[in-house]
Amino acid sequence: ALQGDENMNQSTKDVMQEFESQHDPHSQNHEEEEDGSDDGGEDGDPEVTAVQQRFLDRLTHFFDFQRIAEERVSTVDPQGKIAGMKVKAHSKGIEEKNGTFKAGYRQQDIKGKPVRHLTDLYQAAEAAKPEFETFMNSLVNSVAGLSRADLDIAPMKQRARASQKAREEYTYRIPGPAESWLYDILRASVICKSYKQMSEVNKFLKENVHIVECQNRFAMPQFDGYRDILYYISVPYKDELAFVCEVQVHHKEFKHYFGVNSHKSYFQPYFAGPFRDPIENLQDLDMLLQVGKVDDNLMEFLVQATDSNQLKLFARIFFEQLEETDKSLELFRRVLTMEESSFGKGHVITGSTYQYLGRVLLSKGDADGALLYLNEATSVFSANLGADNPEVATTLSIIGEAHRARGDYAEALRDQKKALEIREAALGEDHQLVAESYMNVAQALCDRGEMKKGIAECRTALIIQESILGDSDVELAQTHCMIGKIHFMQGENDKALESLNKALSLQEEAYGKKHQRIADTLTEIGKVKSSQGDYDEAEAHHRKALQIREQMLGKGHPDCAISYGYLGFVLSHRGDNEGALVVLRLALKIRTKVLGKNHLLSSNCYADVGSIMAEKEDFEGALNQYKECLTIRKSLCGRNHPKTAEIINASGRVKSRMGDHKGSISDHEKALGILEKVVGSNHPDVADTYQYMGEAYERNSNQTKALENHSKALAIRSAVLGKQHPSTASSCVVIAGILEEKGDLPGAKMAYRQAITANAGLYGENHVETANVRLKLGRVLNLEQEFAAAEEELRKAATAREELFGAEDLHTAEAYALLGTVLNHQEKFDEAVSFHEKALEIRKDQLRENHPDVVASTQAAAANREGREED
């Protein structure tokens, strides 16, 4: 019925058309049909989602490289001579029998002490680099048939990759820190043409340098199938100092034929660490590829498995790659039982599972459950690795996210600041994880309403990233995006767009036009465009985001609901509330199907639908939607949570419009109590609540109480958001209106001027908000008999409205009429008559003959003509 409505605009029809292949909004039983079909339920065979299929495609290509490597090695080393070459380390191995490592083989800084972080490591690498290059040149000069062309001395390893490798592979190595075990900052490759040359290189290294570790990877290939011989050598420099460097010895024919495996870095984290043989991981990945889906048979096999490392691998892949959160949780819980039995609750391996369980539960919205496991992980890591270890900081950062989800913003800020402190001390100031912590602190500050402090923290993060990566690396995009979002929250739309477009440019340069992060940035730009009233551009950006999400994730993915939600609000702003409801209900169906009804994102959809129903004045329908939302949020977040307060406020606003003044005030007072308890009394959300209470008192004709509450809102907004913020300006306008109605014209005049200053700074002169307030100020100045000042304001308002709406618009006529009145008071009769006649002509053309505005303009024009004749 909705799709056939003649009043539905083209935007709504387009959205519906895009969605109809998977969803039928006509069917009353549609939601029940969806819930019973191909959704991974017990009675159906689970479908392979777009995300899962993309992972399986990657896995297929990954194993294709394994096959290519096997084929090529049979040609390059048919008799196995290279695979049989003996390589031996002078260190006799750096791992002790008890699982710890020989402390003397940690990398040293330029003072001969173990490096503390990447800054120390890269300083030492820079100092050792000339000696390493000299040594490598002497190597190729000493082996017959090799030349400088066969030597490739690589640039220093990128800091971001070094940081990632340290965390993935050496976090649990004792003694630490993890960065002290990075041996591949300085690295070189030697390309040999034969077994003989490879043997000669091996001999040269054995006789001329201390070999710390070595591995013949023709005998034991890398996880991706590549073969070479790897050496870590200790290169002396500057008297007693030495730096461990990496040397890879390749066979030319194998390296040339093998090419570059683009999927290696993607699967690398699942082969990092010392806990399991890579061959076993390969066998498990091959099994997953053969099964081709996560079904009940696979889960039955896994829950009966006795290898905790195998279960942990599948649990990680289910969580990190396949979006199988519930199955991942089931496996991690089984892993934990096995590890607690085998290693004990205090072992570092068990600690890593505590951390994973916390992350999974947090992703499901269970912040309280997540905190139980995350606090356990913190205790285990602190006991085993030290309280100042970066892994402790990582866990604290996740704890901060959990506190944020609970609405405990003060605790979240403390957690993120502590994580930052640990990371700066352990990793140095110029580290990617330190920049990440500054971003987390920024988010926590913004949650508390401290936007200016938040943006300062973001800029610090940006400086760190630019010093490490340069100014054109895609890693900077997230920081630019965060800065853009804060500018948007501050009402600085032009600055927001500048930062968001910078992020988009970096992302498109790195990823092309289709990537999930690009969709996220397009969504943020669309939100800013909506705020500016540019709904065509807003819709275009939300549609682009939707297209990317559908192609990358599938049409039924919850992220697609993000785009549908914002498209719904674009339709609403255009006055198409029926169309908005259609689209928002589609978003609700997606989320309830995939995530379930009892999920925070599903609750958001109920709130969105309720807000559009309120716009349609379907107040009972709106309250029903808000009731559903409130039930979910109380269940997930608890009674004392900002999200709970948000929906109580929404219900209060609807009750006010229904005339239920007592119920409205009661709701707002409940919300205020929650917010003051959770976020403090000086927060934008508290200011919003005072605004809503002011509006309720206005509707009940209690101007004194209305003014009191709006004034409290203004005080908070001025202090927290600044005087030049849309919300601050809005408070000024409302207060001015109340003062004008109460007859306090000087007070109204002052408040309107504050609003004009804010709006002109935010939007410019030729903006509807600025023009509207100038008109109101002109009206007050006229009543105060300050006619010259009133004329100045009204001329600006009329000019702006002409540009915004055109000279034939009713908005413009309003400005003409008031300007005519002011000119008449100044006895500028000719011009006064001209403006009144312009207003009359517009109003007669667009309104009925007896409309009050037409009558008023007729009378004013006649009176001004009489005044002109008398003059």
Side-chain angles (χ1 to χ4, degrees):
L2 285 171
Q3 198 170 8
D5 190 340
E6 292 180 1
N7 294 324
M8 182 180 291
N9 70 19
Q10 189 59 43
S11 296
T12 309
K13 293 178 181 177
D14 290 343
V15 173
M16 290 294 299
Q17 206 167 24
E18 289 173 4
F19 203 80
E20 65 184 357
S21 61
Q22 297 224 347
H23 300 264
D24 177 12
H26 306 295
S27 172
Q28 293 180 345
N29 299 319
H30 177 61
E31 188 168 348
E32 290 78 8
E33 291 169 4
E34 284 183 337
D35 289 341
S37 64
D38 66 16
D39 62 351
E42 293 180 2
D43 298 328
D45 190 30
E47 64 182 17
V48 177
T49 67
V51 171
Q52 293 171 354
Q53 187 58 55
R54 194 161 63 251
F55 175 83
L56 293 172
D57 290 343
R58 274 186 176 273
L59 200 53
T60 299
H61 297 152
F62 177 74
F63 279 109
D64 284 344
F65 274 86
Q66 297 276 347
R67 177 181 52 78
I68 292 169
E70 291 292 339
E71 292 173 354
R72 192 59 187 162
V73 77
S74 63
T75 303
V76 172
D77 190 27
Q79 298 176 348
K81 292 172 66 177
I82 302 175
M85 186 186 302
K86 301 295 184 182
V87 295
K88 190 173 182 181
H90 296 112
S91 65
K92 298 182 180 179
I94 64 173
E95 185 174 0
E96 304 281 14
K97 291 181 180 180
N98 63 359
T100 63
F101 287 76
K102 296 177 181 178
Y105 281 103
R106 289 177 292 177
Q107 292 280 33
Q108 298 176 341
D109 64 17
I110 56 176
K111 296 180 180 179
K113 297 180 179 179
V115 300
R116 299 164 298 166
H117 40 60
L118 288 183
T119 300
D120 288 351
L121 185 62
Y122 277 82
Q123 283 179 347
E126 195 65 50
K129 186 177 179 183
E131 292 298 330
F132 177 57
E133 291 177 351
T134 300
F135 177 81
M136 293 307 302
N137 279 305
S138 69
L139 186 155
V140 295
N141 291 335
S142 301
V143 176
L146 291 183
S147 68
R148 184 65 182 81
D150 299 313
L151 174 64
D152 179 19
I153 298 179
M156 284 193 198
K157 193 180 193 76
Q158 289 185 349
R159 285 180 177 240
R161 177 66 191 107
S163 171
Q164 181 183 2
K165 183 175 182 178
R167 183 168 188 266
E168 288 175 353
E169 300 195 21
Y170 305 127
T171 289
Y172 307 125
R173 184 171 285 194
I174 299 173
E179 285 73 15
S180 67
W181 297 104
L182 289 169
Y183 289 166
D184 60 346
I185 304 302
L186 294 180
R187 53 215 170 128
S189 294
V190 180
I191 315 299
C192 298
K193 305 175 188 67
S194 64
Y195 161 78
K196 183 177 180 181
Q197 284 184 337
M198 297 179 79
S199 181
E200 287 296 318
V201 169
N202 182 50
K203 181 180 178 184
F204 182 90
L205 292 173
K206 183 178 179 181
E207 294 175 354
N208 292 279
V209 74
H210 185 82
I211 301 174
V212 177
E213 283 191 298
C214 55
Q215 185 179 3
N216 185 339
R217 298 195 292 201
F218 272 82
M220 183 64 69
Q222 295 186 66
F223 71 88
D224 65 339
Y226 188 73
R227 271 81 162 170
D228 63 7
I229 301 178
L230 175 71
Y231 301 88
Y232 293 125
I233 61 173
S234 181
V235 177
Y237 73 102
K238 289 187 179 179
D239 302 325
E240 301 296 319
L241 299 176
F243 194 82
V244 182
C245 311
E246 178 185 273
V247 177
Q248 289 178 283
V249 181
H250 306 273
H251 193 290
K252 182 177 181 179
E253 291 302 315
F254 188 87
K255 181 176 176 62
H256 174 74
Y257 188 85
F258 192 81
V260 178
N261 185 349
S262 61
H263 300 290
K264 178 180 177 180
S265 60
Y266 183 85
F267 290 102
Q268 176 83 43
Y270 301 106
F271 292 88
F275 306 124
R276 197 170 188 232
D277 191 320
I279 292 177
E280 293 179 299
N281 283 354
L282 285 169
Q283 290 170 344
D284 286 336
L285 288 174
D286 184 52
M287 177 179 71
L288 179 58
L289 182 60
Q290 298 307 316
V291 172
K293 57 189 173 184
V294 183
D295 60 8
D296 290 342
N297 291 330
L298 177 60
M299 282 300 295
E300 186 177 346
F301 168 80
L302 290 174
V303 295
Q304 293 177 3
T306 57
D307 183 351
S308 62
N309 286 319
Q310 180 188 43
L311 291 180
K312 204 165 192 174
L313 172 69
F314 278 98
R316 288 180 61 194
I317 291 172
F318 286 2
F319 175 55
E320 296 167 349
Q321 306 296 343
L322 302 183
E323 299 184 338
E324 291 284 358
T325 311
D326 290 338
K327 292 181 174 64
S328 171
L329 182 61
E330 182 180 353
L331 293 183
F332 272 127
R333 281 176 168 154
R334 175 150 170 73
V335 169
L336 182 62
T337 300
M338 297 167 75
E339 288 178 346
E340 287 180 337
S341 175
S342 300
F343 305 117
K345 292 184 177 182
H347 196 280
V348 69
I349 293 176
T350 312
S352 70
T353 303
Y354 287 139
Q355 189 192 83
Y356 270 116
L357 278 163
R359 288 173 57 196
V360 174
L361 286 169
L362 184 57
S363 74
K364 288 173 63 63
D366 183 0
D368 290 333
L371 282 170
L372 293 175
Y373 287 112
L374 291 168
N375 286 326
E376 286 289 340
T378 304
S379 298
V380 172
F381 290 147
S382 297
N384 286 273
L385 306 174
D388 57 352
N389 188 275
E391 197 63 16
V392 175
T394 297
T395 311
L396 282 172
S397 182
I398 304 170
I399 288 173
E401 293 175 24
H403 279 133
R404 182 186 183 222
R406 294 177 75 235
D408 193 345
Y409 298 140
E411 277 296 320
L413 181 59
R414 279 193 286 271
D415 295 330
Q416 299 299 355
K417 283 185 172 180
K418 181 62 178 175
L420 172 60
E421 180 185 330
I422 293 171
R423 283 175 169 173
E424 279 189 322
L427 304 174
E429 293 182 359
D430 55 344
H431 194 285
Q432 188 74 349
L433 286 177
V434 174
E436 178 188 293
S437 274
Y438 274 108
M439 294 283 286
N440 292 338
V441 170
Q443 180 65 69
L445 286 166
C446 290
D447 288 335
R448 288 168 55 84
E450 300 179 64
M451 311 298 179
K452 291 180 180 178
K453 289 182 180 179
I455 210 162
E457 299 295 302
C458 284
R459 296 200 184 284
T460 302
L462 191 61
I463 290 168
I464 294 170
Q465 290 174 317
E466 287 178 341
S467 71
I468 299 170
L469 306 168
D471 61 3
S472 59
D473 193 280
V474 71
E475 290 296 324
L476 276 65
Q478 291 299 99
T479 310
H480 284 297
C481 202
M482 180 69 172
I483 290 171
K485 286 194 268 190
I486 297 174
H487 279 309
F488 177 54
M489 287 188 282
Q490 290 181 302
E492 299 167 341
N493 289 334
D494 289 339
K495 290 181 179 179
L497 286 175
E498 181 182 349
S499 293
L500 291 169
N501 282 318
K502 176 65 174 174
L504 184 63
S505 175
L506 291 173
Q507 289 167 337
E508 289 182 340
E509 181 69 25
Y511 305 135
K513 295 291 185 181
K514 294 178 182 178
H515 192 277
Q516 287 164 248
R517 288 186 177 178
I518 290 175
D520 294 340
T521 306
L522 288 169
T523 296
E524 294 300 326
I525 293 173
K527 288 162 64 176
V528 179
K529 293 290 185 182
S530 283
S531 175
Q532 293 178 317
D534 189 350
Y535 299 120
D536 288 341
E537 277 295 307
E539 181 180 353
H541 281 84
H542 289 313
R543 283 187 178 280
K544 284 180 185 176
L546 176 62
Q547 185 179 30
I548 293 169
R549 286 167 174 149
E550 287 183 337
Q551 290 180 357
M552 300 295 292
L553 306 172
K555 290 189 175 182
H557 194 278
D559 282 7
C560 294
I562 297 172
S563 294
Y564 280 114
Y566 285 115
L567 282 168
F569 280 106
V570 168
L571 296 176
S572 175
H573 283 302
R574 285 175 165 161
D576 183 11
N577 287 323
E578 288 292 344
L581 272 179
V582 173
V583 177
L584 291 172
R585 281 172 172 152
L586 293 177
L588 177 61
K589 284 186 178 181
I590 292 173
R591 282 183 169 161
T592 52
K593 175 187 175 183
V594 178
L595 304 173
K597 181 179 178 180
N598 197 42
H599 194 283
L600 190 59
L601 292 177
S602 298
S603 82
N604 294 346
C605 288
Y606 282 111
D608 291 344
V609 171
S611 69
I612 302 302
M613 286 183 165
E615 284 295 312
K616 291 180 62 187
E617 299 188 356
D618 179 1
F619 298 131
E620 292 294 342
L623 287 177
N624 287 335
Q625 296 295 314
Y626 290 152
K627 185 178 179 181
E628 292 281 2
C629 177
L630 182 60
T631 300
I632 297 168
R633 291 186 179 180
K634 280 183 177 178
S635 169
L636 293 174
C637 307
R639 294 179 179 274
N640 293 322
H641 192 282
K643 283 285 185 182
T644 306
E646 177 187 62
I647 206 64
I648 293 173
N649 264 331
S651 296
R653 297 187 82 187
V654 170
K655 289 176 184 177
S656 175
R657 294 177 66 185
M658 294 172 71
D660 180 5
H661 175 69
K662 186 176 179 180
S664 172
I665 295 298
S666 175
D667 281 347
H668 293 317
E669 286 177 343
K670 283 180 190 175
L672 183 63
I674 293 169
L675 291 169
E676 288 184 329
K677 180 178 180 180
V678 176
V679 300
S681 58
N682 207 35
H683 190 278
D685 290 353
V686 174
D688 291 344
T689 307
Y690 279 123
Q691 175 194 319
Y692 304 149
M693 291 176 76
E695 291 168 352
Y697 280 116
E698 279 185 86
R699 286 197 176 91
N700 200 41
S701 300
N702 189 337
Q703 301 291 38
T704 301
K705 293 291 287 184
L707 183 60
E708 176 187 327
N709 282 279
H710 282 301
S711 297
K712 288 179 179 179
L714 176 60
I716 295 170
R717 287 168 173 170
S718 297
V720 176
L721 303 175
K723 292 183 178 180
Q724 197 163 311
H725 187 279
S727 296
T728 308
S730 175
S731 284
C732 289
V733 172
V734 173
I735 288 170
I738 296 172
L739 291 171
E740 183 181 351
E741 190 172 331
K742 287 169 66 70
D744 183 358
L745 299 182
K749 186 168 57 178
M750 182 183 299
Y752 280 136
R753 280 183 169 143
Q754 288 178 357
I756 288 171
T757 301
N759 285 333
L762 287 166
Y763 310 121
E765 284 293 341
N766 291 331
H767 188 278
V768 63
E769 295 293 339
T770 310
N772 288 347
V773 184
R774 285 200 185 280
L775 193 76
K776 292 174 180 179
L777 176 59
R779 184 179 63 218
V780 171
L781 290 167
N782 177 51
L783 293 172
E784 283 276 88
Q785 298 185 10
E786 297 179 33
F787 300 125
E791 178 186 348
E792 181 182 353
E793 297 298 333
L794 293 168
R795 285 189 184 279
K796 290 178 180 178
T799 300
R801 287 192 167 186
E802 284 173 348
E803 291 193 17
L804 290 165
F805 306 115
E808 305 300 321
D809 191 89
L810 288 171
H811 293 86
T812 310
E814 182 186 17
Y816 289 159
L818 192 50
L819 180 57
T821 299
V822 169
L823 290 167
N824 182 60
H825 285 308
Q826 298 179 85
E827 299 184 353
K828 298 178 181 180
F829 299 118
D830 287 341
E831 203 173 1
V833 169
S834 174
F835 276 109
H836 278 304
E837 287 179 344
K838 283 182 181 180
L840 178 59
E841 184 179 348
I842 295 168
R843 287 170 168 173
K844 285 175 69 177
D845 186 52
Q846 299 184 47
L847 302 172
R848 64 184 186 275
E849 189 174 344
N850 62 346
H851 190 280
D853 287 349
V854 175
V855 173
S857 285
T858 302
Q859 292 172 348
N864 275 256
R865 280 193 291 270
E866 289 177 12
R868 179 175 62 184
E869 290 168 4
E870 289 175 5
D871 183 63

